[in-house]
Structures are given as structure tokens and as C-alpha cells.
Amino acid sequence: MKVGAVVLTMGNRPEELRALLDSVAKQDGDPVEVVVVGNGSPLPPLPDGVRTVELPENVGIPAGRNVGIEAFGPGGSDVDVLMFLDDDGLLPGADTAELCRQAFAADPQLGIISFRIADPDTGVTQRRHVPRLRASDPLRSSRVTTFLGGANAVRTTVFQQVGGLPDDFFYAHEETDLAWRALDAGWMIDYRSDMVLHHPTTAPSRHAVYHRMVARNRVWLARRNLPALLVPVYLGVWLLLTLARRPSKTALRAWFGGFREGWKTPCGPRRPMKWRTVWRLTRLGRPPVI
């Protein structure tokens, strides 16, 4: 299988980016082709052979990654698998690309693999980086219902069948949107603890737009993908969870602003998942109400 990699960068971490690219170049097996997308910023000097795209403005994470996909042909068709890696991450093992090849070759239904993210200094995997409800053991691999945006591999046939990431989301929940569409088309998603990306421990709320985007995109996600009966249930559960976490008044104000925005603005095409997909998500441990 031919493997490519998409790296999105704002151009503000040149040393980390170079270290990541070096780790990709050291992967076992056939060389991994790489495209680096500059999201509204010029790119620093990069190794020979790396494809580059410089966007004139920051179009957001999903749209930027979609540009990277298309750099490998329509729907990434020039390669069989695309890895998506954060620009401040690093592949500590040289076997990650080969493990991806083996996993996709062994399981024709496997569409997406979510890597394990671990802090390079402590080795700790944050609970939020384990894409399932039962997240206490990050070393346990399993089938899951979503994946991590900056540490994953996708069979490019998935993009060609169900489309790319939702451009308008800009940041937050774009992975779940793609995951639900892929699951609805019959693909499966694995979390693999043996495929590791080193990444410094961070908090998602470090982004200024975090609370607004999370709320707005949560509404869009439901409106786009869930059967009508489940939309109010899903959003009602998340409203209660948000209040239970007792965010600051500023954060809560931003969250409710995003929640209103999600109802008042276009969410993109609505393609509600089949009820058998709802049952599949439930059997996998995460019914689409939470």
C-alpha cells in the first residue's frame, strides 16, 4: 500500500515541524510521500521531496487538511492511505507506516485508524485523547466511533466515497462528522495503542475560539448527521454535561453564543445516518446521544 502524509502548519513551529518530517522520513518500508500545507502563512525551508501548498489565509483545520488530501489527487487517489499528523508531533517508532499498511491490508472494512497520543516526556496519554467513553486504559486497542484529528491514518477510498472533512467547521468536531459518515457507509474505525504520536500535553481551551466553536459545531454535527428524533436528545445531553462541568461565566457565554449560532446558520448538507448505524454506534459503546 502506498502511504502519504498531510501536515498542516501555521508556520510558527519550524523546529518541531522539521523533527516531525525527519521522523516520517525514517519510517520502515517504502518512503512516505508528504505534503505540508501552510495555513495562511509562508512555509519555512523544508527537506527535498516534500510537497508544499501555501494558502493565502487561515482556512481552518478541516479545510486545510482537505487541501492536503487533494494534493494527492482527487480524494487522495494517488495513494492508498493518508496519515494526518500535527506539526508539533513526532513519530517515535519507525514502524508506524508499516503497521498502517498491515492493518488496512488485513481488514478490508477498516477505514480509519486513530493513533495513541503520548506526552514525549512523561509518556502519559490524556483521557480526552482516547476516542471512547471507557478511556481509563489508553493501552487497550479497540473499535471506536471517532478518531483524533492530528494523529490518524485514513484509507483514501473513504474520502472518495463519503467526501472530506467539513470545511465550514474550521475547528472542533470535524473528525466525528467524517467518522459518522464513514461508519454509515459501512467502514470501521480502530484505536491502536501501538501506533504512537508524541505530542506535548495541552488543553483544548488554549484556543481562543474553543468554547464557541465546540458548541456551534456540536449543533451542526447533529443537524447534519443524526435522525431527527435524536437531534434534541444529543444536544440536550451535551447541554447538561456542559453545565455540570461548571465553566466560567465567560466560557459559558461563549458556549451559548456558539450554540445559538449553530441553529441560526447553515450547517451544510443534511444526510441523516441510518438507524442501523445508530445501533452499530451503540454496540461499539457510544450511542449517538453522547
Side-chain angles (χ1 to χ4, degrees), residues 118-136:
D119 186 274
D121 297 321
T122 65
V124 171
T125 296
Q126 292 179 269
R127 187 180 181 90
R128 70 185 182 91
H129 284 153
V130 182
R132 59 178 179 243
L133 291 179
R134 296 179 179 176
S136 59

Side-chain angles (χ1 to χ4, degrees), residues 39-79:
N39 204 0
S41 64
L43 293 172
L46 299 174
D48 293 340
V50 173
R51 307 185 195 188
T52 61
V53 180
E54 291 187 353
L55 302 177
E57 62 180 338
N58 181 357
V59 297
I61 294 173
R65 287 184 175 143
N66 284 339
V67 169
I69 295 169
E70 296 303 308
F72 287 97
S77 56
D78 292 348
V79 294

Side-chain angles (χ1 to χ4, degrees), residues 16 44 50 61 87 104 117 135-137 153-154 177 179 182 189 202 205 219 227 240 246 250 263 271 273 276:
E16 293 90 339
V50 173
I61 294 173
D87 66 342
F104 285 117
I117 292 179
S136 59
D137 183 5
V154 182
D177 186 88
I189 306 170
T202 57
S205 55
V219 177
L240 293 175
R246 302 177 68 181
T250 301
W263 285 107
R271 299 186 181 95
M273 65 178 65
R276 68 184 180 191

Side-chain angles (χ1 to χ4, degrees), residues 5-25:
V6 174
V7 181
L8 189 65
T9 183
M10 298 287 290
N12 56 349
R13 294 189 281 236
E15 293 181 5
E16 293 90 339
L17 174 60
R18 185 60 184 250
L20 169 66
L21 297 178
D22 288 345
S23 74
V24 174

Side-chain angles (χ1 to χ4, degrees), residues 233-247:
V233 179
Y234 177 81
L235 295 176
V237 167
W238 278 104
L239 172 61
L240 293 175
L241 283 173
T242 300
L243 294 174
R245 290 169 177 167
R246 302 177 68 181

Side-chain angles (χ1 to χ4, degrees), residues 198-236:
H198 277 174
H199 188 283
T201 298
T202 57
S205 55
R206 70 190 186 279
H207 299 291
V209 297
Y210 171 76
H211 296 287
R212 181 176 71 86
M213 292 290 188
V214 161
R216 184 197 68 180
N217 292 359
R218 183 82 67 186
V219 177
W220 282 357
L221 179 68
R223 290 174 59 198
R224 285 164 58 94
N225 295 288
L226 291 180
L229 185 64
L230 294 184
V231 172
V233 179
Y234 177 81
L235 295 176

